[in-house]
């Protein structure tokens, strides 16, 4: 089938067509033509005002498959990802069992060569993500694990952390760390500050993150290796990472919402805003925006963390951390584009995560495989029962109008096109 | 009749100064009523109120129940420890089951901060927060403030020291909000580990020395050490606490100035407050208890008025 994407703006800093408005013809999974002609096609998508980039990549998506399928399974996760504009996702190992043997890897990555949304496996660093005993990381790497992390759990054990950094060097593997001091965040439910004081909730102080970033950078300097910090939330963490980048192989990501929302939204105890790391203050948002602009933050991720109503529609201190955000991620980007240029934002969602994980980076050029995302930054829509593809509904934007929506994705000779698109 | 600005009493944070004054005015009338030989008025006849207590309570529950009965409301009581509820039924299910029996108002105590706010999003009945974890205890703050006003004539400009475990205290937080709305000056005092790090941003003074706090204040509201609400250790021992943060009659007499001592109860005698201090002429602890009934009558009565 031939599909013509008519007149989008191409955003791909590696492409000669970067920031040009062109017609793009896709034929049997390949980019057949890029130009100004009106190529004949079976389907035409009028895309003026839209942005065409290589397929978006989500680093660190939480799904519940295997074991917690009631939150999100592979099928719902891939549908949700496609509708959010992602052609590839790298999923966290916080499953049950955790991703710690070849079985889980092959289960997660099955059909990756043919499915629209490829699912990459991040494997556990320690057994059951407990931080105590290393997994068989070489074997997991051979089986297809693209990175190593305990996901939403911190690797608290200093010596295990050090050993992991050393061990991964055999195959240039990346250690992805969620920096969080266990004791300082214990029983914490939100950012520690004036708002946690007002709400009577135990806080999670910035230093709980910062001391772990500082400590782990020292370990990286000592051991060597490749370290990526996930879901950074504090400006001081970024300062340390920025300084370390001059001599160490270190990178980091943030969730898109972390640079948009502060903890004042928690005034009425809406558990959809209960996330980890917690939403912090306006000054932290400014520091994150600065980090996005100056390149300290390499990757932006959705932070998609689905939870069933039984884990989320509860008293605040009993509710789990996290929000779903694959489908609303694009609207987060629109909000971020007020402060950060589109090509900078999209590089952090496309090239940067693939580069970090040593994956092939798709290109926008004639005869290249079509791994593409078409995004409409002006489209207003609602995430609701009709449009939501996730099994969970824990989004602060559920039922509210947002601006910006992925309208089509292409990968592996397959495509998803928003049914509302004519 | 004037009305409250809110349908629920979830916290002092959410109500206005005018609301507080209206509650006080009404409470003063009810206080006169409960000192009559016939203490009962028909104001809430045909109104059913459920007292749902997920945390242990003796005096707050008794105080609410008396207030409800003196207003001629029909009263049902439900108590369960949070842990037993946690194993089975959710909060929402429990409350909906009770409401299905046609209950008009819910008075709830719960260990989770924000539990009544959560409930308010899901149910129609008026809700009175009778204490939500370490967040707020609005009726306690109202009765404390009412008692200060009664004793000193006004609250505005008065210096109130809140002494003890501020970190785990819903009484402290609600008192700060209420007293600030009425123009009082506030100081918090306690061991540094029991003071929230950002408390001064609420506009209160912070003092680590009890003697200095007593010297500064017109009223000392001494809080109970909430051992049951401390999930980890915040100070080495009760012995050391009572030695360095406990208040004795000798200290009060040595101030050579009038001072009012309050305590929300139950007192750990000999820990935060010595027996002779609790029972001294400085203490208005039993007035607080008496005023509690009148203030709660006022709150219930006024909230019922918002339902129409």
């Amino acid at each position: 089938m031939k599909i013509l994407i008519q007149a989008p703006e191409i955003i791909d800093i590696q492409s000669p067509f970067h920031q040009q408005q062109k017609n793009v013809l896709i034929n049997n999974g390949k980019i057949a033509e890029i130009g100004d002609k009106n190529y004949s096609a079976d389907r035409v998508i009028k895309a003026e005002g839209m942005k065409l980039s290589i397929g978006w990549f989500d680093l660190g998506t939480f799904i519940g498959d295997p074991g917690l399928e009631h939150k999100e399974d592979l099928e719902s996760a891939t549908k949700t990802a496609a509708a959010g504009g992602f052609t590839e996702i790298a999923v966290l190992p916080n499953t049950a069992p955790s991703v710690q043997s070849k079985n889980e890897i092959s289960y997660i990555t099955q059909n990756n060569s043919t499915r629209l949304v490829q699912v990459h496996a991040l494997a556990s660093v320690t057994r059951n993500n407990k931080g105590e005993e290393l997994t068989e990381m070489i074997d997991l790497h051979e089986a297809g694990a693209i990175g190593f992390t305990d996901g939403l759990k911190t690797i608290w054990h200093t010596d295990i952390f050090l050993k992991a950094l050393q061990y991964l060097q055999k195959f240039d593997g990346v250690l992805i760390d969620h920096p969080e001091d266990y004791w300082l965040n214990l029983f914490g439910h939100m950012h520690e500050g004036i708002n946690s004081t007002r709400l009577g909730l135990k806080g999670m102080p910035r230093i709980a993150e910062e001391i772990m970033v500082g400590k782990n950078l020292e370990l990286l300097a000592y051991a060597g290796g490749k370290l990526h910090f996930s879901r950074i939330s504090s400006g001081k963490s970024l300062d340390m990472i920025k300084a370390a980048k001059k001599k160490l192989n270190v990178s980091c990501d943030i969730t898109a919402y972390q640079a948009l929302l502060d903890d004042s939204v928690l005034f009425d105890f809406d558990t959809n805003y209960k996330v980890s790391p917690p939403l912090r203050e306006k000054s932290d948002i400014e520091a994150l925006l600065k980090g996005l602009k100056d390149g300290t933050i390499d990757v932006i991720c959705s932070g998609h963390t689905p939870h069933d109503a039984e884990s989320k529609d509860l008293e605040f201190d009993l509710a789990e951390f996290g929000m779903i955000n694959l489908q609303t991620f694009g609207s987060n980007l629109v909000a971020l584009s007020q402060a950060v240029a589109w090509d900078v934002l999209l590089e952090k969602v496309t090239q940067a995560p693939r580069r970090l994980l040593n994956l092939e980076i798709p290109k926008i050029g004639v005869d290249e495989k079509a791994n593409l995302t078409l995004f409409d930054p002006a489209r207003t829509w609602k995430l609701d029962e009709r449009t939501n593809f996730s099994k969970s509904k824990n989004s602060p934007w559920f039922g509210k109008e947002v601006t910006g929506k992925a309208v089509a994705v292409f990968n592996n000779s397959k495509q998803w096109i928003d049914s509302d698109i004519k | 009749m004037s009305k409250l600005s809110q349908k629920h009493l979830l916290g002092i944070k959410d109500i206005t100064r005018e609301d507080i004054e209206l509650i006080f005015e009404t409470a003063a009338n009810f206080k006169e009523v409960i000192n009559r030989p016939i203490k009962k008025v028909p104001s809430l006849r045909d109104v059913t109120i459920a007292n749902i207590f997920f945390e242990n309570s003796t005096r707050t529950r008794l105080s609410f129940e008396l207030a409800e009965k003196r207003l001629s409301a029909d009263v049902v009581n439900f108590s369960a420890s949070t842990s037993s509820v946690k194993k089975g039924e959710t909060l929402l299910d429990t409350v909906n089951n009770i409401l299905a029996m046609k209950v008009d108002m819910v008075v709830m105590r719960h260990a989770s901060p924000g539990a009544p706010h959560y409930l308010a999003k899901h149910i129609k009945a008026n809700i009175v927060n009778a204490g939500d974890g370490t967040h707020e205890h609005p009726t306690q703050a109202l009765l404390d403030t009412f008692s200060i006003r009664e004793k000193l004539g006004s609250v505005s400009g008065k210096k109130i020291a809140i002494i003890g475990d501020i970190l785990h205290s819903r009484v402290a937080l609600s008192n700060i909000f209420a007293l600030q709305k009425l123009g009082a000056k506030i100081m918090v005092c306690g061991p540094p580990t029991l003071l929230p790090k950002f408390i001064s941003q609420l506009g209160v003074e912070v003092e680590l020395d009890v003697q200095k706090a007593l010297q500064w204040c017109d009223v000392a509201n001494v809080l109970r050490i909430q051992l049951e609400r401390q999930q980890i250790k915040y100070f080495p021992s009760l012995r050391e606490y009572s030695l360095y943060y406990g208040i004795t009659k000798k200290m009060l007499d040595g101030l050579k100035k009038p001072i009012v001592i309050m305590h929300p109860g139950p007192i750990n005698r000999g820990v935060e407050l010595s027996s002779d201090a609790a029972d001294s002429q400085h203490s208005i602890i039993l007035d607080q208890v008496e005023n509690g009934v009148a203030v709660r009558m006022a709150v219930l009565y006024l909230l019922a008025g918002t339902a129409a």
Side-chain angles (χ1 to χ4, degrees):
Chain A
M1 178 160 109
K2 285 185 182 175
I3 300 170
L4 178 64
I5 306 172
Q6 209 171 47
E9 183 193 11
I10 294 173
I11 303 280
D12 177 10
I13 53 168
Q14 294 187 340
S15 167
F17 301 103
H18 180 48
Q19 292 181 328
Q20 294 180 29
Q21 203 178 0
K22 294 285 174 196
N23 292 338
V24 176
L25 183 71
I26 298 165
N27 187 11
N28 290 329
K30 279 195 162 181
I31 300 173
E33 302 279 0
I34 301 176
D36 299 318
K37 287 186 201 156
N38 246 331
Y39 310 103
S40 75
D42 306 303
R43 170 125 198 222
V44 177
I45 302 173
K46 287 183 181 150
E48 203 162 339
M50 299 188 191
K51 298 189 186 296
L52 184 72
S53 65
I54 63 170
W56 294 0
F57 188 107
D58 194 39
L59 173 62
T61 320
F62 174 91
I63 64 166
D65 202 354
L68 307 164
E69 293 87 350
H70 58 290
K71 294 180 190 283
E72 199 84 277
D73 61 18
L74 281 166
E75 196 191 337
S76 67
T78 49
K79 278 186 183 159
T80 310
F86 297 93
T87 59
E88 295 175 62
I89 59 177
V91 299
L92 294 175
N94 304 95
T95 45
S98 77
V99 181
Q100 55 191 2
S101 80
K102 287 192 273 197
N103 287 345
E104 288 91 46
I105 305 273
S106 61
Y107 174 69
I108 287 167
T109 59
Q110 60 185 319
N111 308 325
N112 254 358
S113 57
T114 54
R115 63 184 170 195
L116 173 63
V117 175
Q118 291 167 266
V119 186
H120 301 285
L122 298 169
S124 297
V125 178
T126 66
R127 290 189 190 278
N128 301 311
N129 306 316
K130 280 187 173 167
E132 290 163 355
E133 203 183 336
L134 289 175
T135 57
E136 296 173 336
M137 291 191 281
I138 300 173
D139 205 38
L140 289 165
H141 168 69
E142 291 296 325
I146 57 162
F148 293 85
T149 179
D150 279 346
L152 303 174
K153 296 262 183 73
T154 188
I155 307 164
W156 57 272
H157 192 305
T158 314
D159 189 48
I160 291 286
F161 191 94
L162 176 68
K163 298 278 192 300
L165 274 174
Q166 291 171 325
Y167 201 73
L168 286 168
Q169 290 175 38
K170 181 182 180 335
F171 53 87
D172 193 27
V174 59
L175 179 64
I176 300 174
D177 178 41
H178 173 75
E180 171 183 27
D181 185 84
Y182 173 80
W183 291 106
L184 294 184
N185 275 353
L186 188 62
F187 306 119
H189 300 288
M190 65 175 287
H191 169 66
E192 181 191 75
I194 182 64
N195 285 328
S196 66
T197 309
R198 279 197 189 104
L199 295 173
L201 288 165
K202 182 159 187 301
M204 303 160 82
R206 288 187 193 91
I207 53 161
E209 174 181 299
E210 293 157 359
I211 59 171
M212 289 303 269
V213 168
K215 181 178 92 166
N216 292 344
L217 284 172
E218 288 297 327
L219 291 167
L220 180 69
Y222 173 81
K226 193 171 167 184
L227 177 60
H228 178 85
F229 290 111
S230 74
R231 302 191 181 193
I232 290 294
S233 65
S234 125
K236 195 169 175 189
S237 300
L238 289 181
D239 291 343
M240 287 187 277
I241 293 166
K242 189 177 179 181
K245 276 186 166 190
K246 291 177 188 148
K247 42 189 194 265
L248 302 174
N249 197 342
V250 60
S251 54
C252 71
D253 69 57
I254 62 164
T255 61
Y257 59 75
Q258 196 80 38
L260 295 171
L261 301 171
D262 67 60
D263 68 351
S264 63
V265 294
L266 289 165
F267 72 96
D268 73 339
F269 298 91
D270 184 345
T271 60
N272 286 319
Y273 291 110
K274 183 179 176 182
V275 292
S276 175
L279 301 178
R280 298 199 190 275
E281 297 175 24
K282 292 216 161 50
S283 59
D284 298 278
I285 290 180
E286 280 163 29
L288 297 185
L289 291 174
K290 182 167 161 278
L292 286 172
K293 283 186 265 194
D294 72 14
T296 308
I297 298 164
D298 301 84
V299 175
I300 308 172
C301 54
S302 75
H304 185 76
T305 310
H307 285 300
D308 49 307
E310 287 70 28
S311 317
K312 204 61 178 171
D313 189 10
L314 291 172
E315 298 89 309
F316 197 87
D317 56 343
L318 303 180
E320 299 269 4
F321 290 97
M323 66 165 81
I324 57 167
N325 196 30
L326 281 171
Q327 282 184 257
T328 39
F329 178 77
S331 66
N332 291 174
L333 288 186
V334 171
L336 289 174
S337 74
Q338 303 286 319
V340 187
W342 271 107
D343 54 346
V344 174
L345 290 174
L346 289 180
E347 196 275 336
K348 296 179 196 301
V349 188
T350 54
Q351 274 108 357
R354 291 179 172 100
R355 198 161 46 239
L356 171 75
L357 299 164
N358 293 324
L359 295 170
E360 197 186 329
I361 298 174
K363 293 190 177 71
I364 298 185
V366 174
D367 281 340
E368 294 288 347
K369 188 184 149 192
N371 184 336
L372 299 168
T373 297
L374 181 64
F375 178 72
D376 185 351
R379 196 177 166 84
T380 57
W381 68 290
K382 258 188 212 171
L383 181 71
D384 56 22
E385 299 289 350
R386 185 182 73 89
T387 56
N388 182 33
F389 285 97
S390 173
K391 282 194 170 185
S392 297
K393 293 184 210 166
N394 54 308
S395 165
W397 295 290
F398 203 87
K400 294 179 192 159
E401 195 157 89
V402 294
T403 301
K405 189 176 193 316
V407 292
V409 290
F410 304 85
N411 188 21
N412 277 336
S413 305
K414 294 189 169 66
Q415 64 276 329
W416 168 84
I417 300 170
D418 190 333
S419 57
D420 292 341
I421 287 282
K422 293 201 180 83
Chain B
M1 183 191 85
S2 307
K3 271 192 178 185
L4 290 179
S5 68
Q6 306 282 320
K7 189 188 157 200
H8 309 291
L9 181 63
L10 303 180
I12 302 293
K13 196 168 39 206
D14 316 307
I15 64 172
T16 62
R17 182 190 173 120
E18 289 69 38
D19 287 332
I20 297 175
E21 278 165 358
L22 176 60
I23 292 167
F24 285 179
E25 215 175 283
T26 316
N29 292 335
F30 281 128
K31 185 165 180 180
E32 187 262 317
V33 168
I34 57 177
N35 280 297
R36 289 182 201 159
I38 295 165
K39 299 175 174 63
K40 213 162 166 168
V41 288
S43 311
L44 294 190
R45 189 176 286 161
D46 287 333
V47 174
T48 307
I49 303 177
N51 299 316
I52 307 178
F53 279 67
F54 293 96
E55 264 191 343
N56 289 335
S57 160
T58 309
R59 75 192 57 214
T60 303
R61 212 182 98 174
L62 202 60
S63 178
F64 267 109
E65 198 173 336
L66 271 175
E68 290 152 4
K69 288 185 167 159
R70 299 221 157 126
L71 290 166
S72 306
D74 294 319
V75 180
V76 288
N77 288 304
F78 172 92
S79 6
S81 69
T82 310
S83 59
S84 70
V85 171
K86 222 169 165 179
K87 283 177 203 154
E89 205 171 37
T90 64
L91 167 62
L92 193 54
D93 280 342
T94 306
V95 173
N96 272 332
N97 270 286
I98 293 165
L99 291 180
M101 301 175 215
K102 308 297 170 210
V103 166
D104 305 294
M105 295 175 95
V106 171
V107 174
M108 183 174 79
R109 169 167 289 189
H110 197 282
S112 295
H117 303 68
Y118 166 77
L119 212 56
K121 288 181 205 164
H122 290 90
I123 69 170
K124 284 195 185 127
N126 304 92
I127 298 168
V128 181
N129 179 4
D132 59 331
T134 49
H135 181 220
E136 284 222 42
H137 191 351
T139 56
Q140 180 71 44
L142 289 169
L143 74 89
D144 287 348
T145 312
F146 183 84
S147 303
I148 294 170
R149 200 179 75 153
E150 190 180 63
K151 179 80 183 173
L152 300 180
S154 78
V155 176
S156 181
K158 296 292 182 299
K159 294 176 175 175
I160 321 291
I162 305 173
I163 300 171
D165 180 356
I166 311 296
L167 188 65
H168 295 92
S169 176
R170 50 195 175 207
V171 176
L173 206 51
S174 285
N175 261 280
I176 290 170
F177 295 140
L179 291 164
Q180 280 183 336
K181 283 183 184 183
L182 296 180
K185 292 180 186 141
I186 303 162
M187 174 183 280
V188 294
C189 175
T193 50
L194 289 176
L195 301 174
K197 184 168 165 57
F198 296 92
I199 190 84
S200 64
Q201 289 184 27
L202 287 180
V204 304
E205 292 193 45
V206 177
E207 175 58 62
L208 305 180
D209 186 311
V210 171
Q211 194 64 48
K212 286 183 186 161
L214 293 174
Q215 201 66 56
W216 175 85
C217 69
D218 302 309
V219 178
N221 195 348
V222 185
L223 302 180
R224 181 183 159 77
I225 282 294
Q226 301 279 0
L227 284 175
E228 66 276 16
R229 229 170 282 152
Q230 294 181 8
Q231 291 160 307
I232 38 185
K233 277 255 177 186
Y234 288 86
F235 58 90
S237 68
L238 283 178
R239 177 187 168 273
E240 181 154 294
Y241 185 88
S242 69
L243 279 176
Y244 295 93
Y245 291 94
I247 293 167
T248 61
K249 183 158 188 294
K250 198 176 156 202
M251 288 161 79
L252 299 178
D253 291 343
L255 293 171
K256 312 252 186 282
K257 62 155 193 177
I259 185 166
V260 176
I261 295 295
M262 302 172 71
H263 192 293
I267 308 169
N268 295 306
R269 281 180 183 258
V271 181
E272 66 265 8
L273 207 53
S274 69
S275 278
D276 55 1
D279 304 332
S280 70
Q281 76 281 10
H282 307 288
S283 162
I284 58 162
I285 295 171
L286 291 175
D287 301 304
Q288 289 174 263
V289 179
E290 183 186 344
N291 289 334
V293 177
V295 164
R296 288 178 176 118
M297 285 173 80
V299 167
L300 295 164
Y301 171 75
L302 290 167
L303 284 179
T306 66

